[in-house]
Amino acid sequence: VNADQAAFNLAVREFRRKRPFLQQNLGENDQFGYLYPMEGAMLVYGLRRAPNGREQILFVANMEGAPKTITPTNLPLANLPMTGWQAALQTPGLTASAANQPLTLQDSEGVVFVRTA
C-alpha cells in the first residue's frame, strides 16, 4: 500500500472516530447533493453539523469521471458560511488551500473542510 494513501486512510478513520455523529443518518439541518449538470463528472457534496452546533463539516468529492473545477463555498448549499473553513482531510496529491478558492478535483479526489460555529 502506498504510504500516502495509508496515512490518509488513517486520518479519515481518526476524523470519523472523533465525530461519532457522522455515523448517523443526515440530520434535519444537514444537506447532501449531486452537482448538476454532471458534464462528465459525478460530484457529491454536503454540509453536516455537529448535534451540539459547535462544528460544521463541508465536503465535496469527484466520485467518477472527468476533472471538475469548483469553488466549495459556491456549492448550492443553503445558509453556507463563506469564511472560517479549514481543510481537515484531502486525498493524497490534492492541495486545497481554502474553501473559497477554485479547486480542481480529479476522479476519486475529495476534500473535507471544518468550521467552528
Side-chain angles (χ1 to χ4, degrees):
V1 173
N2 176 288
D4 290 339
Q5 185 66 48
F8 172 72
N9 293 348
L10 176 60
V12 169
R13 286 192 304 276
E14 290 173 349
F15 184 87
R16 291 182 65 207
R17 194 171 333 171
K18 290 178 184 175
R19 296 163 179 87
F21 71 92
L22 293 175
Q23 297 174 28
Q24 306 301 317
N25 291 335
L26 296 176
E28 63 183 45
N29 294 319
D30 294 332
Q31 301 173 62
F32 178 82
Y34 302 90
L35 194 60
Y36 294 101
M38 290 189 171
E39 298 175 342
M42 169 72 160
L43 245 65
V44 297
Y45 61 89
L47 179 63
R48 302 283 312 259
R49 292 174 175 86
N52 64 11
R54 294 185 184 153
E55 186 175 56
Q56 299 168 327
I57 299 171
L58 170 64
F59 61 91
V60 61
N62 183 348
M63 301 303 289
E64 177 182 4
K68 183 82 169 178
T69 301
I70 52 96
T71 300
T73 54
N74 289 347
L75 291 166
L77 293 162
N79 303 314
L80 178 65
M82 296 292 121
T83 60
W85 296 103
Q86 300 292 320
L89 296 168
Q90 46 198 318
T91 51
L94 182 63
T95 303
S97 56
N100 62 355
Q101 298 296 314
L103 172 67
T104 300
L105 295 172
Q106 305 291 327
D107 185 11
S108 302
E109 286 187 333
V111 62
V112 175
F113 294 95
V114 295
R115 180 179 182 277
T116 302

